[in-house]
Amino acid sequence: MSQVLSPLPGTFYKKPSPDAAPYKSKGDQVAVGDTIGLVEVMKTFIEVKSDASGTFREYLADDSCPVMAGQPIAGLE
Amino acid sequence: MAIQRLFIANRGEIAVRIIRAARELGIRTIQAYSEADADMLAVRLADEAVCIGPAPARDSYLDVGKVVAAAKAAGADGVHPGYGFLAESSAFARAVRDAGMTFVGPSAVTIDRMGDKVAARQAAEAAGVPVVPGSKGRVETVDEAVEIADQVGYPIMIKASAGGGGRGIRIAENSEDLRKLAPMAQAEALAAFGDGGFYLERAISSPRHIEVQIVGDGTRAVHFYERECSLQRRRQKVWEEAGATCLDEETRQDLCRSAVSLAEAVNYCGAGTLEYLYDPTRNEFYFIEMNTRIQVEHPVTEMVTGFDLVKEMILVCGGAPLSVTQDQVVKSGHAIEVRLNAEDPFMQFLPFPGKVGKLSLPEGEGIRFDHFMYEGYQIPPFYDSLVGKLIVHGKDRADAIARISAALEDLEIEGLKTTAPLHKALAKDRDVASDAFHTQWLEPWLEAGNLTRAQTGG
């Protein structure tokens, strides 16, 4: 079991655009380097990538909500 | 009626700037803030402060209903929108006025008119202000396009009527090119936008961005000369000057007078900026758009004219006539502003919302630093990365460059990465020194590794 952490503080998004599906859903396979979400920091969008592989379990941060640097945004198993 | 209680619907350095201006006018200030901005400098400086919502701007600074309700509840009789956020929202200007308060800016009608590119171009043409040469509206056939292009000259841009943001643009170098590209552009526009209409505009290869500061009182307008803002990255200005030394005196006078004509033609009230493209090879300028607000780079104009633009816009919007006539606006020397963003210029300008440590600020005659930092301040990650603007005034351009260079050496902001290294390198660059740049200059300069070379001294 591992967690994906936000590299920067900002606003977290699960989806690449408001109308799109979330990057990952429960049960999806996750490889190292897969994009899990976006963090908007000072009007710049940064992709949050997984540094572990596994099976996607859940998002731990809410969509469009503030996150801190180092805060877990997703759980893998 | 003159404003007594001013609500500031903005944040950051411009909120601080507005509070200072209002205070000098004896006006009480009420600062709006989001939950993420409770400890920002403007909240500490203002007479009163009101929380208007959560951190995301769409739920606070961009929420017209919340901002207007908060201003009204606080007993404000005027609202200053600053720049960005709702500053150029006609819906906001209208809502503020409908709630019985004064909006520090032009009327909603003027914002709409000058904010629409086509309407603004028509207003400019009607006032005798030159616009980028091209077709008068839509072109329907290729033969018609070639005929127009022969008049306008090559290279020429083919733009989809329904396009925008750079989409659907092609450049033809000659008539043969145009005959080939125009039908393609038509087909493409039809497929992409469901409308095959296009228009033509002269392509200006290495234009300079020059703009004119004006203030109007609804009847009369005056200009405060021009600014040169060609050093841009991703269409964001990074370094701005007053004035534009590439212009000869006659062109400068024509340019500034054209801005006043247009401002008076639309009965402009408040501070505004008319943006132009300048083609140095032809010595011609063309109006492109108007910003109906105070701009980030207004301090360079204040430095060379000794005139407080923020105070004046508050006064004229409160109903006062302009406090100056054109011949009272006198310009001296040269000013440069550099924008300090909390970004790492060595890491593709990655934002760096850190905590401000020890602050060492340059001081002295001809130096101004507009900012909103204090030691221990945590920069929130939710908003723009601009943390300060360093401005210097010199006797001429070379002197101003030497002063900005020296002032940057005296500036130290611990705890943050900023764009200061970029400005230090620009201040030492040969093309910058010889004023030989244009709007397409900075990005290739960065891509060529000039910043890293300046850093390593190589």
Side-chain angles (χ1 to χ4, degrees), chain B residues 286-436:
Chain B
Y286 316 109
F287 169 79
I288 45 171
E289 63 180 68
M290 180 168 192
N291 296 321
T292 56
R293 53 170 160 83
I294 193 74
Q295 284 189 276
V296 175
E297 61 271 27
H298 75 274
V300 284
T301 299
E302 296 185 327
M303 292 296 251
V304 295
T305 60
F307 192 82
D308 191 316
L309 296 165
V310 180
K311 273 206 251 182
E312 188 75 359
M313 75 189 290
I314 294 171
L315 291 171
V316 294
C317 292
L322 271 172
S323 70
V324 282
T325 55
Q326 190 62 65
D327 56 9
Q328 289 171 322
V329 180
V330 182
K331 191 175 80 147
S332 81
H334 193 90
I336 297 175
E337 168 184 288
V338 297
R339 297 191 189 192
L340 292 163
N341 293 343
E343 294 169 3
D344 184 352
F346 300 107
M347 285 279 286
Q348 289 88 46
F349 294 84
L350 186 73
F352 198 99
K355 188 172 191 171
V356 179
K358 191 168 169 292
L359 265 180
S360 313
L361 304 180
E363 281 172 19
E365 208 192 317
I367 299 176
R368 169 172 163 183
F369 189 52
D370 281 20
H371 70 105
F372 67 111
M373 293 178 284
Y374 55 83
E375 290 180 13
Y377 176 58
Q378 171 65 51
I379 312 258
F382 308 107
Y383 313 106
D384 197 85
S385 61
L386 181 74
V387 293
K389 311 180 304 201
L390 180 60
I391 308 116
V392 297
H393 187 202
K395 66 180 190 319
D396 55 27
R397 187 166 185 273
D399 185 38
I401 292 175
R403 282 170 185 260
I404 200 87
S405 206
L408 281 163
E409 292 304 326
D410 289 344
L411 173 74
E412 212 174 321
I413 308 168
E414 286 182 10
L416 295 187
K417 301 226 187 253
T418 74
T419 46
L422 167 67
H423 297 304
K424 286 181 187 173
L426 287 174
K428 290 182 174 64
D429 186 85
R430 207 178 301 168
D431 285 350
V432 172
S434 60
D435 201 13

Side-chain angles (χ1 to χ4, degrees), chain A residues 9 11 41-44 46 64 66, chain B residues 58 350-351 379 381-384:
Chain A
T11 306
V41 48
M42 295 178 149
K43 297 178 175 174
T44 302
I46 312 282
S64 308
Chain B
R58 64 175 181 278
L350 186 73
I379 312 258
F382 308 107
Y383 313 106
D384 197 85

Side-chain angles (χ1 to χ4, degrees), chain B residues 215-253:
Chain B
V215 180
D217 62 11
T219 309
R220 204 161 59 80
V222 291
H223 70 77
F224 293 84
Y225 292 95
E226 82 288 359
R227 296 187 285 261
E228 208 295 346
C229 314
S230 298
L231 290 175
Q232 302 182 4
R233 179 179 168 271
R234 297 190 174 172
R235 307 189 68 143
Q236 292 289 313
K237 297 162 186 165
V238 305
W239 161 305
E240 300 109 336
E241 306 187 17
T245 48
C246 59
L247 297 180
D248 60 55
E249 196 49 37
E250 193 188 338
T251 308
R252 173 175 299 114
Q253 291 300 335

